[in-house]
Amino acid sequence: MACAALLTITPPRPDLLLRTARICLKLRRPRRACDAVARVNAVDIRGTADPDRTAEQMMQIATALCTWCLREEAKDVLRNAIALAPHAAAPRSALVCLLDEDLRAAGGNVSLAQWAELEDLLQRSVAESPLLAAPRLALANCLSQQARYLEAQTAPDMAKAQALRARAENLLREAVAAEPRLPAPRLAVAEFLLESLRYVEAETVAAAAVRCCPASAELRLVLARIQFQLLQFEAAAKTIETLLAIAPENGWAWFEYGKILWNSFGRADDAFERAGDLSGNDCALLAGVAHRFLYDLDYEKAAKYYERLLTLHPNMRDNFVICRYYATCLQEIARTQEAVDIISAALKSCRLAAERAQGEGLELIKREEALLLSQAGRLDESFSALQSIRDVAASTPRYDRAEYLPRTPERLQRLAEIVDSRDVFVLLQGPSFATFAARLHEFAGFEFAIATLNSFPPVEQELRRINRHADILLFTQPGSIRAWHPELMKFLTRSPPNLVVATHYALSGLSEFGLSEREFVARHDKRLLLVHSDGPPLPSRPLHFENGPSVS
């Protein structure tokens, strides 16, 4: 009542209304404070003697409103403060932070108006600080986030995403030009190129950045990651070893070193354990270490790091995927009751998330529910959960998604014509193929289609003994395309009908030959089928490669 009475008698002057708002906050009446600030008219404010001071007071009120969980009201206050003092950086930065938090919480799924407001605020910061790199980095990050969100939508959105990425790249390069001695802009460019699968360009940028800023551990780390993607394991190992000589307590460096050793057939466990021991409170690093050991089926060590992750970050117990991985480890090391408890809690979190989800997100959650039920031995319920995905999925597969090529149904028809109702033998180079090759003559009279995964020339060399060849090539790794590029080009010019099935990631290996994915697709469009490789298969995205350990 006191705040309401005070608000009634307060004259319509900005200074007095803001003082009333502060009094209401002290009396723990944040809604009344909002009413007071709402009466502060932007036109009246411009007549104040010190607009910057008034804007600062409004920003303090907005901060207090946030502590009362009145974020929308706080944003309105900050918008008024920006209108009062357009050149004041503090209220603009505060509003950017709130909008960015909303964006992250929504996974990028916000309205176009929210994207536009954030972009406009950041664009103003760039205009007011033309000689600084930081505003350009912030705007480029915003545009990249919007591009990532659009890339997960339909093909028409892909063109918008490409335009946003082009703008982001220009901003990043402008940031480097603005402050060439700073490591942050160079790091941002290298990471942008790495994320875009432009590994050759990324290596050039990162190597130049390391020469310019040799003390930057982050630059050496990203250079090693790029070299790893280019399968330059020896160079990547040297980069990491130099980094560890400078920063021996860098957990991420040890993690990358473990990946390099693992792929070079070296002993990687010690490096991964060192990374886990140095992870501190870094939940991403702890989860990465735990997952590496789970991938190698070392359940004891994986359980150790998952347990540490859940202890240090209790909120991770709401992550039903992490909990499912942890429960798998516990079951394998005979800690059965703990696994039961973890699965039970994970199922509750999973079903709670399902109540708020829709579309493809709901498909993913229902799939996780089915996996958890299967892990708990409740197979009938698991099957029912899987069947329920059909009720929420689109009636037809979403081949208009950005990860597929145009006219994908026609490409699938071409694949069906190549197979022609025959059995399909998928042949991989390895011990099992050696056994098959020794008895190859027994299959000479059989009629079957042949697909190979990655290393196809050694397989075809054996097939020639029975006058056969591969009909379908499956590529999941860029290294395979680099290793067999001449043979791949010959395969694509053969007269019999054939098809290459690959992912965007695999086709990134073409960059070493001065060929972009777009150019490659244009040249060989009729013999290509692109499939999805990120995340699990769903009815909405049925064309899918999913990698896993060959021994699992």
Side-chain angles (χ1 to χ4, degrees):
M1 292 295 292
C3 287
L6 179 61
L7 189 58
T8 302
I9 64 173
T10 302
R13 285 174 43 190
D15 56 338
L16 297 178
L17 286 168
L18 293 178
R19 187 180 301 169
T20 297
R22 292 195 296 274
I23 292 171
C24 291
L25 287 171
K26 288 181 180 178
L27 294 174
R28 304 173 69 84
R29 295 293 183 270
R31 292 285 181 187
R32 292 299 182 186
C34 291
D35 294 339
V37 177
R39 290 180 56 192
V40 180
N41 189 290
V43 176
D44 297 330
I45 287 176
R46 294 182 187 279
T48 59
D50 191 350
D52 287 342
R53 176 178 171 78
T54 304
E56 183 181 347
Q57 291 173 343
M58 294 175 75
M59 195 177 80
Q60 292 170 354
I61 291 171
T63 301
L65 291 175
C66 283
T67 64
W68 286 92
C69 299
L70 298 174
R71 290 175 60 88
E72 293 304 316
E73 292 79 357
K75 284 187 278 189
D76 287 338
V77 171
L78 289 171
R79 290 181 183 110
N80 279 340
I82 293 168
L84 165 65
H87 300 293
R92 187 167 58 242
S93 296
L95 182 55
V96 165
C97 285
L98 288 177
L99 292 172
D100 190 55
E101 287 171 5
D102 291 347
L103 188 151
R104 292 176 187 278
N109 187 17
V110 297
S111 69
L112 291 176
Q114 288 172 283
W115 279 113
E117 182 179 21
L118 180 57
E119 184 180 335
D120 177 65
L121 290 167
L122 292 169
Q123 190 68 60
R124 287 197 222 175
S125 298
V126 171
E128 290 178 9
S129 306
L131 301 180
L132 296 180
R136 287 179 170 80
L137 294 179
L139 179 55
N141 182 55
C142 169
L143 297 176
S144 295
Q145 287 184 72
Q146 189 175 0
R148 286 187 208 105
Y149 173 70
L150 290 175
E151 285 167 348
Q153 307 307 309
T154 59
D157 292 314
M158 189 66 175
K160 300 175 187 176
Q162 289 172 347
L164 289 170
R165 283 196 172 278
R167 286 181 59 198
E169 182 175 354
N170 289 337
L171 284 163
L172 292 174
R173 294 188 185 279
E174 287 174 11
V176 172
E179 297 188 78
R181 304 306 301 179
L182 280 183
R186 293 178 179 272
L187 176 65
V189 175
E191 289 180 332
F192 176 89
L193 294 171
L194 175 60
E195 181 185 338
S196 303
L197 309 182
R198 293 157 59 184
Y199 300 129
V200 175
E201 293 175 75
E203 184 188 25
T204 302
V205 168
V210 168
R211 290 193 295 272
C212 178
C213 311
S216 171
E218 292 81 3
L219 283 171
R220 292 186 187 276
L221 190 59
V222 77
L223 175 58
R225 287 171 176 158
I226 294 164
Q227 291 167 330
F228 177 84
Q229 290 295 338
L230 289 169
L231 304 185
Q232 299 173 4
F233 298 134
E234 186 175 347
K238 288 180 180 177
T239 300
I240 287 291
E241 287 163 2
T242 303
L243 169 56
L244 289 172
I246 299 169
E249 304 299 301
N250 189 312
W252 279 108
W254 282 105
F255 183 74
E256 294 298 328
Y257 196 37
K259 286 167 56 180
I260 294 163
L261 292 173
W262 192 92
N263 282 273
S264 306
F265 305 103
R267 180 170 175 76
D269 285 18
D270 291 345
F272 285 132
E273 287 191 85
R274 183 74 171 137
D277 294 341
L278 293 170
S279 61
N281 286 326
D282 190 332
C283 61
L285 181 52
L286 264 176
V289 170
H291 197 65
R292 290 301 310 193
F293 284 120
L294 176 59
Y295 187 89
D296 286 337
L297 310 185
D298 190 336
Y299 299 111
E300 193 79 45
K301 288 179 181 176
K304 168 186 170 183
Y305 290 106
Y306 280 127
E307 185 171 3
R308 185 182 300 177
L309 173 64
L310 297 179
T311 301
L312 290 173
H313 300 275
N315 61 313
M316 291 298 290
R317 291 185 178 274
D318 295 331
N319 187 320
F320 39 85
V321 178
I322 290 290
C323 288
R324 177 166 62 81
Y325 292 156
Y326 183 35
T328 298
C329 300
L330 294 174
Q331 286 175 328
E332 293 292 337
I333 59 177
R335 291 166 58 180
T336 309
Q337 187 55 50
E338 292 175 77
V340 168
D341 294 340
I342 289 289
I343 292 171
S344 176
L347 273 169
K348 290 179 183 177
S349 299
C350 186
R351 286 167 173 164
L352 183 63
E355 293 174 4
R356 304 188 298 266
Q358 58 184 354
E360 190 173 302
L362 183 54
E363 290 181 52
L364 286 165
I365 292 170
K366 296 301 288 184
R367 178 182 183 274
E368 283 300 321
E369 181 184 0
L371 291 171
L372 285 165
L373 288 167
S374 175
Q375 205 165 354
R378 295 154 62 179
L379 299 183
D380 290 342
E381 292 177 73
S382 175
F383 184 66
S384 296
L386 281 176
Q387 284 187 311
S388 71
I389 295 177
R390 293 182 301 184
D391 300 330
V392 299
S395 56
T396 57
R398 293 288 307 279
Y399 293 134
D400 59 341
R401 298 170 61 96
E403 58 264 27
Y404 301 133
L405 288 173
R407 305 181 308 283
T408 286
E410 295 175 25
R411 299 171 194 276
L412 289 171
Q413 179 59 35
R414 197 172 301 129
L415 174 61
E417 291 168 359
I418 291 171
V419 173
D420 193 24
S421 301
R422 296 176 291 173
D423 292 329
V424 179
F425 283 24
V426 182
L427 306 179
L428 292 75
Q429 188 179 14
S432 59
F433 178 72
T435 303
F436 175 78
R439 302 177 55 188
L440 194 60
H441 62 280
E442 298 177 26
F443 296 87
F446 283 72
E447 183 59 27
F448 53 89
I450 299 171
T452 68
L453 177 64
N454 295 325
S455 301
F456 76 97
V459 172
E460 283 210 314
Q461 186 174 350
E462 295 292 337
L463 289 172
R464 289 193 193 103
R465 291 164 41 204
I466 58 171
N467 196 30
R468 299 297 300 273
H469 56 262
D471 301 295
I472 304 158
L473 301 188
L474 309 174
F475 283 109
T476 61
Q477 299 294 327
S480 301
I481 287 181
R482 295 187 202 108
W484 308 113
H485 181 257
E487 291 83 355
L488 171 60
M489 294 298 105
K490 289 179 182 177
F491 178 87
L492 289 166
T493 58
R494 289 179 186 171
S495 55
N498 54 20
L499 197 69
V500 171
V501 182
T503 64
H504 287 289
Y505 174 59
L507 293 185
S508 68
L510 294 165
S511 61
E512 282 197 38
F513 304 97
L515 189 65
S516 71
E517 178 187 315
R518 184 178 298 179
E519 293 169 324
F520 180 76
V521 170
R523 291 181 192 178
H524 307 288
D525 181 60
K526 292 184 178 180
R527 302 202 188 197
L528 291 177
L529 175 65
L530 286 195
V531 301
H532 192 57
S533 61
D534 296 326
L538 296 169
S540 299
R541 52 184 193 206
L543 293 178
H544 193 278
F545 280 146
E546 186 167 20
N547 295 324
S550 59
V551 292
S552 64

